[in-house]
Amino acid sequence: MSAEIGAHLLIVDDDERIRGLLQKFLMRNGYMASVARDAAQARRLLKGLAFDLIVLDVMMPGEDGLSLCSAIRQDQNTPVLLLTARGEAGDRISGLEAGADDYLAKPFEPKELLLRINAILRRMPKPVEEPELPQILHMGPIRYDLERAEMWHGATLVRLTATEAALMRIFTSEPNRPISRTELVALLDRDKSGVDQVQERAVDVQITRLRRKIEVSPKEPRYLQTVRGAGYMLAPD
């Protein structure tokens, strides 16, 4: 039985012996495991750390596990497995109503706990990875190498001025998103304290020059588009 790689568990139990035994057992089986002696300590840990699953004792002095589970559910989707000395159906229902993903009555076999943890984690959706931007953007016969910040027309390197190169870095960092003139000025000079119309008109001039190097027909731009009311947008193939 193998643990989910890198999965970090939080064990919340007021019994020091049980906390220690479970922590050692789960770490031997490939998990990272942190412990909390009560709900208050668990809340402090949850503020600063992200956990993949919480093993939570129901019967604790002070705030009990059901209350903590309900609080966790208000703003987190972290799966919770409840532990309790009571195994009656009503208690199990209360645990599930509080938002628990599973329920295990004490005493239990550590292997059963491990099986249930593995099963819960397998059911959890995997995080969606952000799609990687291509390293080369194509605009008709023009290609732009993001890593080298170079523009090519076939086998010919297109020379860019410093401002044109800066504009390409801005546009290629967020293709297909309109960027206003004001934002372009701010990004170009890193000065957010006021942008006048002269500066914005200067951006228009630079865009016109850049279009001459990108577009087949600069007066009818296909790739470096003007978005009415929003600014300019790079729309590669």
Side-chain angles (χ1 to χ4, degrees):
M1 291 175 291
S2 59
E4 295 286 326
I5 296 174
H8 190 183
L9 312 184
L10 175 61
I11 304 159
V12 188
D13 198 303
D14 63 303
D15 189 316
E16 183 178 359
R17 185 183 66 85
I18 291 177
R19 286 199 309 271
L21 288 173
L22 289 182
Q23 184 180 35
K24 290 177 182 176
F25 174 74
L26 292 170
M27 290 178 70
R28 280 200 307 270
N29 282 276
Y31 286 108
M32 296 172 59
S34 297
V35 296
R37 63 181 174 273
D38 55 24
Q41 187 179 22
R43 284 177 179 272
R44 290 193 292 272
L45 288 172
L46 288 165
K47 283 182 179 179
L49 294 171
F51 294 94
D52 297 290
L53 183 142
I54 302 168
V55 179
L56 176 58
D57 185 31
V58 171
M59 302 297 291
M60 294 186 295
E63 183 181 9
D64 66 21
L66 293 178
S67 173
L68 178 58
C69 184
S70 296
I72 291 169
R73 274 296 159 268
Q74 290 178 11
D75 58 7
Q76 295 186 35
N77 292 320
T78 308
V80 176
L81 192 158
L82 290 177
L83 301 178
T84 182
R86 300 184 304 190
E88 290 81 3
D91 296 321
R92 292 197 297 273
I93 291 170
S94 296
L96 295 173
E97 287 178 341
D101 294 81
D102 203 351
Y103 193 100
L104 187 58
K106 296 178 180 179
F108 56 84
E109 287 291 329
K111 286 186 177 180
E112 182 180 2
L113 174 65
L114 184 62
L115 283 169
R116 288 174 181 256
I117 289 172
N118 288 342
I120 292 172
L121 291 177
R122 281 197 300 270
R123 294 198 301 267
M124 293 299 293
K126 302 299 180 185
V128 178
E129 295 183 2
E130 290 292 328
E132 291 186 7
L133 284 174
Q135 292 305 302
I136 303 291
L137 292 182
H138 294 273
M139 294 159 281
I142 299 295
R143 69 181 190 279
Y144 183 81
D145 187 319
L146 278 79
E147 187 174 355
R148 296 184 178 183
E150 292 177 347
M151 184 182 291
W152 293 81
H153 188 293
T156 303
L157 179 65
V158 179
R159 192 185 71 82
L160 299 175
T161 66
T163 303
E164 290 168 350
L167 283 170
M168 284 302 298
R169 285 194 295 271
I170 293 168
F171 284 122
T172 56
S173 68
E174 294 186 90
N176 299 304
R177 181 180 83 83
I179 304 175
S180 70
R181 292 177 178 86
T182 302
E183 187 177 355
L184 285 171
V185 170
L187 290 169
L188 284 170
D189 63 14
R190 298 294 175 183
D191 180 12
K192 307 293 193 297
S193 59
V195 177
D196 59 36
Q197 286 301 114
V198 173
Q199 287 174 305
E200 292 192 16
R201 285 200 296 272
V203 167
D204 293 338
V205 171
Q206 295 297 327
I207 293 292
T208 298
R209 292 175 178 171
L210 189 54
R211 278 175 172 161
R212 291 173 187 158
K213 298 180 178 181
I214 294 176
E215 304 287 352
V216 173
S217 177
K219 291 185 179 181
E220 298 178 354
R222 155 67 179 84
Y223 300 105
L224 188 47
Q225 301 175 3
T226 299
V227 181
R228 188 181 296 273
Y232 296 106
M233 178 179 76
L234 186 71
D237 291 328

